[in-house]
Amino acid sequence: MTVTLIAICLAETVPDAGGKPHPEFPGLQIGGDGAARLQHIGILGFAFQSLLLIQIVLLSILGVAERYRSNSLIIYMSACLAMMLLIGWKMFSGHLQFLDTNETDYFLGFPTATAWQTYGTWLGAIPLVLIYSLGFRKFIYTEEDERQFNTLLAEKAQQQE
């Protein structure tokens, strides 16, 4: 991710990459040529997003005790990652398609790429929440863990008496 960010920082800049003042509305910025802005950093931005999603999933797996990192957990997490990467790709490729054709379809009131971002980003995170919530007693804090914790609490209470 660091290398990707450095590559973005070192990439050739384009005029008005950060926008320019709107001619009618003070304080509002308008973008320049979208294709020109993505020419040198578009794929790097997509790569950074993908790496971030991979990092989120890997850190989520790392947060599970090693004894509970089963094949089923890895399969669930891999499926989540695949879905999140698909959403990211649809968002990126949809925007590139718009830049190429200057035409877009609409979904639930938004241009397709924006709809993927608006609806897909949070929908893509729901499976991770479900794995945590529904798999809590299997992957995070089992009944055996709870028994061991209660035993420790009872031993500590006896030591203090």
Side-chain angles (χ1 to χ4, degrees):
M1 289 174 74
T2 302
V3 170
T4 305
L5 283 178
I6 290 170
I8 289 171
C9 290
L10 296 176
E12 189 176 327
T13 60
V14 295
D16 300 322
K20 55 187 174 184
H22 194 282
E24 294 179 41
F25 303 105
L28 184 66
Q29 295 283 101
I30 57 174
D33 181 1
R37 287 185 289 156
L38 288 182
Q39 180 181 1
H40 303 292
I41 62 166
I43 196 69
L44 294 171
F46 175 71
F48 184 82
Q49 177 191 11
S50 298
L51 290 169
L52 178 63
L53 294 173
I54 291 167
Q55 182 183 32
I56 289 167
V57 170
L58 290 176
L59 288 174
S60 296
I61 293 170
L62 188 61
V64 173
E66 195 170 344
R67 64 187 178 275
Y68 301 131
R69 292 183 205 152
S70 63
N71 288 338
S72 62
L73 175 68
I74 302 302
I75 290 169
Y76 296 148
M77 298 301 277
S78 297
C80 289
L81 177 61
M83 187 171 98
M84 290 186 292
L85 290 173
L86 173 70
I87 291 166
W89 174 251
K90 294 297 284 181
M91 191 171 31
F92 180 67
S93 65
H95 183 63
L96 290 180
Q97 181 182 13
F98 166 73
L99 292 175
D100 285 343
T101 64
N102 210 22
E103 294 179 9
T104 188
D105 292 326
Y106 288 84
F107 180 74
L108 293 177
F110 290 108
T112 305
T114 305
W116 277 106
Q117 191 278 324
T118 303
Y119 305 122
T121 299
W122 64 271
L123 281 172
I126 288 176
L128 288 177
V129 173
L130 290 175
I131 290 169
Y132 182 82
S133 301
L134 300 176
F136 186 80
R137 284 298 198 173
K138 182 176 181 180
F139 301 120
I140 308 298
Y141 188 66
T142 65
E143 291 178 10
E144 178 61 28
D145 292 335
E146 187 173 17
R147 277 192 292 278
Q148 289 177 359
F149 181 69
N150 288 334
T151 301
L152 285 173
L153 290 178
E155 289 174 4
K156 181 71 174 169
Q158 283 180 347
Q159 289 175 357
Q160 290 179 348
E161 291 176 0

